[in-house]
Amino acid sequence: MGDSEMKMMLETIKMKDASIDDLSQNLKEQREQLLSFQTLEETVKIKDKEIEEIKLKVSKDRDIHKLLKEESCVLNEENRKLKLEIEEKDEHRKSKESDLINLDRKVNEEQVKSQTLSENNKILGEELERKRKLELSSKLKLKDN
């Protein structure tokens, strides 16, 4: 082998070395891209899982909201009924208070009448007693005469 063949072989080896270096660099970049894609894939999977969890939570929250709304309607109806019942009982209480006031007034009137009758009875009793004494004294005077 001559010098020129050696140079050519050296040149070919250098070109092949350069080509190998390029391929090696290219392989390294592709590995980095693959690693980046794998990381992205994992991130996408994690995000997909988070999205599913959020969807599930939203669904549960909707169910809870629906239940709360239904309970609120039931409680509002109960509250309305209780208000009506309170109003009815308040009217009944007012009626009873009015009845009590009327009864109290009637009792007072009857007490006044009773007191008046008592005083009249006392006066009549005293007059009757005087009349009896007068009659008795009249009878005694007639007997004495």
Side-chain angles (χ1 to χ4, degrees):
M1 265 204 233
D3 264 350
S4 83
E5 279 185 17
M6 273 291 234
K7 279 186 179 180
M8 236 166 120
M9 273 180 97
L10 258 168
E11 197 60 39
T12 304
I13 290 174
K14 282 182 183 178
M15 281 176 41
K16 287 189 179 181
D17 266 352
S19 182
I20 288 173
D21 285 345
D22 284 346
L23 287 174
S24 189
Q25 181 64 29
N26 198 0
L27 182 62
K28 183 179 176 186
E29 287 173 5
Q30 285 183 357
R31 281 185 180 156
E32 287 174 358
Q33 281 182 345
L34 181 63
L35 185 62
S36 176
F37 285 137
Q38 286 174 341
T39 304
L40 282 174
E41 268 185 348
E42 289 173 12
T43 303
V44 166
K45 285 179 183 178
I46 290 170
K47 293 300 179 186
D48 282 345
K49 186 177 179 182
E50 288 175 1
I51 288 171
E52 287 303 313
E53 288 172 355
I54 289 171
K55 284 180 180 178
L56 183 63
K57 186 179 183 311
V58 166
S59 176
K60 285 180 182 179
D61 286 350
R62 281 189 185 136
D63 291 344
I64 289 171
H65 181 298
K66 184 180 176 186
L67 279 174
L68 289 174
K69 192 173 181 180
E70 289 170 1
E71 285 181 26
S72 175
C73 287
V74 168
L75 289 174
N76 284 338
E77 180 62 20
E78 286 180 20
N79 190 28
R80 187 189 66 77
K81 287 178 183 177
L82 286 172
K83 282 181 179 179
L84 283 174
E85 187 178 329
I86 288 169
E87 288 173 5
E88 289 172 0
K89 287 184 178 183
D90 194 45
E91 287 299 316
H92 184 72
R93 180 192 54 81
K94 287 178 182 177
S95 171
K96 292 296 178 187
E97 282 178 356
S98 178
D99 290 347
L100 281 173
I101 289 170
N102 287 336
L103 277 174
D104 192 42
R105 184 182 48 77
K106 286 180 183 177
V107 165
N108 285 337
E109 289 172 0
E110 292 300 318
Q111 284 176 339
V112 168
K113 284 180 187 176
S114 174
Q115 188 175 0
T116 303
L117 287 174
S118 230
E119 289 172 3
N120 286 343
N121 277 343
K122 184 179 176 186
I123 292 170
L124 287 174
E126 290 171 355
E127 281 183 29
L128 186 64
E129 188 63 35
R130 268 186 270 145
K131 282 184 182 180
R132 282 186 187 157
K133 284 182 182 177
L134 277 174
E135 282 180 17
L136 189 61
S137 101
S138 290
K139 285 184 185 177
L140 285 176
K141 281 185 185 177
L142 281 176
K143 276 190 182 182
D144 286 340
N145 285 339

